[in-house]
Amino acid sequence: MAERAVLAYFNTPDQARQALEGLKSLRLIEHGIDRFDGYPGAGMEHLDQLGNTVAGTFRGLGFITLGGDFDNPDAAVLAAASVSASGMSSGGPDNRVTGRDILLTAIVEEDDYDRAVAICQEAGAL
């Protein structure tokens, strides 16, 4: 039987998990929930990697606040100018830039595709 892929973007992981629970009632073949952003690398995963911020021995504002690893110093400077890095955004909860950065990817049987899209939309998907 033919398969179709559903790509649904959400504001929160909870919305994606809620949609996934609904999709499990269909013929769900494969699924995944991922967070994505526009910055490369895993960034700072442990506080012991931070370095000394007073002495300036850390890798930059984009590394600390955005979790980005930048090979190019120009890209690091540009990322540090982001409103998400600087804390100077104008709106959103906790003064953060809001958006849909959670991606639910689901592969369903072709007959279930329309219902799968409806389930995702009901959970708040774009």
Side-chain angles (χ1 to χ4, degrees):
M1 200 164 209
E3 302 168 350
R4 300 241 355 226
V6 177
L7 301 174
Y9 298 89
F10 294 93
N11 289 325
T12 67
D14 291 334
Q15 288 176 319
R17 284 190 286 272
Q18 176 187 353
L20 181 58
E21 287 305 312
L23 292 175
K24 287 181 180 178
S25 68
L26 305 175
R27 290 172 290 178
L28 181 63
I29 297 164
E30 192 69 43
H31 68 277
I33 298 175
D34 299 295
R35 176 166 286 203
F36 65 93
D37 65 20
Y39 305 104
M44 183 183 70
E45 295 178 4
H46 304 287
L47 289 177
D48 60 349
Q49 296 177 354
L50 183 58
N52 187 340
T53 57
V54 175
T57 58
F58 65 99
R59 295 167 56 187
L61 181 64
F63 178 73
I64 292 174
T65 59
L66 301 173
D69 283 333
F70 304 97
D71 294 331
N72 183 330
D74 295 335
V77 170
L78 212 70
S82 164
V83 294
S84 295
S86 68
M88 299 298 288
S89 70
S90 59
D94 300 323
N95 203 29
R96 291 178 303 182
V97 176
T98 57
R100 297 181 191 269
D101 62 344
I102 307 297
L103 173 63
L104 167 64
T105 306
I107 299 174
V108 296
E109 293 290 340
E110 188 169 23
D111 295 341
D112 290 334
Y113 178 77
D114 291 332
R115 182 66 190 129
V117 170
I119 288 170
C120 291
Q121 289 173 337
E122 289 166 8
L126 178 63

